Amino acid sequence: MDYRTKEEQVADYLRERIISGIFPRGSRLKQAEIAEQLHLSITPVREALKLLEAEGYLSGDSYRGTRVVPFDPSASGEILSLRLLLEAKLVAGAMEKVTSQDITELRALADEFEKAFASGERATARGVNYRFHRRMYDIAAMPQTLHFVQILWARYPFDLINAVAGRGDDAVAEHNEILRALTAGDASAAIFAMRKHIESGWEALKSINV
């Protein structure tokens, strides 16, 4: 059962599509169109947009409306350091609570990610990647830490990283390494694998000289 409010569900829907590039950086989001797509009233959509604006995914004014925030390459180094710190904490927290059912769900998402990349569906793969990490971090039940991580994700160029040749194959292998450690109950290995995964994406970003 999904215990999130409608506002939280809409916000997660929008985060995934921004990170995946379905809603490109700089593009305008219209409340009415989103509400129609999700078969909801304007109210939860409006509140979700306010939440994402506070997190840094969106910017808005009375003239231009709400737009996806452009990528700022100058901030990536600091964001990388913070991601390594906070996401390691979430992995450690998840390790303490993970169940066999959680592993099964994560395995299904990892397989879905691999299939999407193999078929060339890059935006779909980025969306699944978001759900894989979000699902893992939800297990930790550390909502404040996850909140800060989502703020960092707003400023990280996942769309550019996953466009790098060969990145998909690397990410598939890295997801599998993380899952093996989780399945084995090896917290140190899981944290190491996640740090390696994040740093590998950073190296891919540097290779395109953004």
Side-chain angles (χ1 to χ4, degrees), residues 50-97:
K50 289 179 181 177
L51 174 61
L52 294 188
E53 186 172 349
E55 290 180 354
Y57 287 85
L58 304 173
S59 64
D61 61 49
S62 57
Y63 298 101
R64 294 182 299 171
T66 301
R67 295 183 181 274
V68 179
V69 171
F71 167 55
D72 177 8
S74 67
S76 291
E78 182 181 3
I79 291 171
L80 172 71
S81 298
L82 291 169
R83 284 193 64 201
L84 291 170
L85 176 66
L86 296 180
E87 294 185 48
K89 289 182 178 295
L90 288 169
V91 171
M95 181 62 74
E96 295 176 358
K97 298 178 175 66

Side-chain angles (χ1 to χ4, degrees), residues 18-21 24-25 71 126 156-164:
I18 291 169
I19 287 174
S20 69
R25 296 180 185 278
F71 167 55
R126 288 192 294 268
Y156 210 69
F158 293 99
D159 49 344
L160 298 177
I161 290 171
N162 286 324
V164 176

Side-chain angles (χ1 to χ4, degrees), residues 96-121:
E96 295 176 358
K97 298 178 175 66
V98 70
T99 66
S100 58
Q101 179 60 35
D102 294 328
I103 295 292
T104 298
E105 293 176 10
L106 289 169
R107 178 74 268 167
L109 287 169
D111 290 344
E112 186 180 350
F113 173 84
E114 182 175 6
K115 290 176 183 177
F117 242 112
S119 61
E121 299 173 8

Side-chain angles (χ1 to χ4, degrees), residues 17 22 24 31 55 64 68 76 80 99 103 106 128 133-134 148 163 171 175 199-200:
R17 279 151 184 76
I22 292 174
Q31 293 182 24
E55 290 180 354
R64 294 182 299 171
V68 179
S76 291
L80 172 71
T99 66
I103 295 292
L106 289 169
V128 177
H133 285 267
R134 174 62 192 262
F148 286 119
H175 286 168
E199 289 174 335
S200 177

Side-chain angles (χ1 to χ4, degrees), residues 87-110 131-141 173-195 197:
E87 294 185 48
K89 289 182 178 295
L90 288 169
V91 171
M95 181 62 74
E96 295 176 358
K97 298 178 175 66
V98 70
T99 66
S100 58
Q101 179 60 35
D102 294 328
I103 295 292
T104 298
E105 293 176 10
L106 289 169
R107 178 74 268 167
L109 287 169
R131 281 183 272 134
F132 175 82
H133 285 267
R134 174 62 192 262
R135 178 69 187 87
M136 185 184 306
Y137 297 161
D138 276 339
I139 297 167
E174 290 154 14
H175 286 168
N176 289 334
E177 186 177 353
I178 293 165
L179 285 175
R180 282 194 297 271
L182 284 174
T183 303
D186 189 335
S188 295
I191 292 170
F192 177 81
M194 183 59 74
R195 290 179 63 90
H197 180 49

Side-chain angles (χ1 to χ4, degrees), residues 29-41:
L29 300 186
K30 299 180 180 179
Q31 293 182 24
E33 290 181 359
I34 295 168
E36 183 178 355
Q37 290 170 8
L38 299 178
H39 306 290
L40 293 172
S41 68

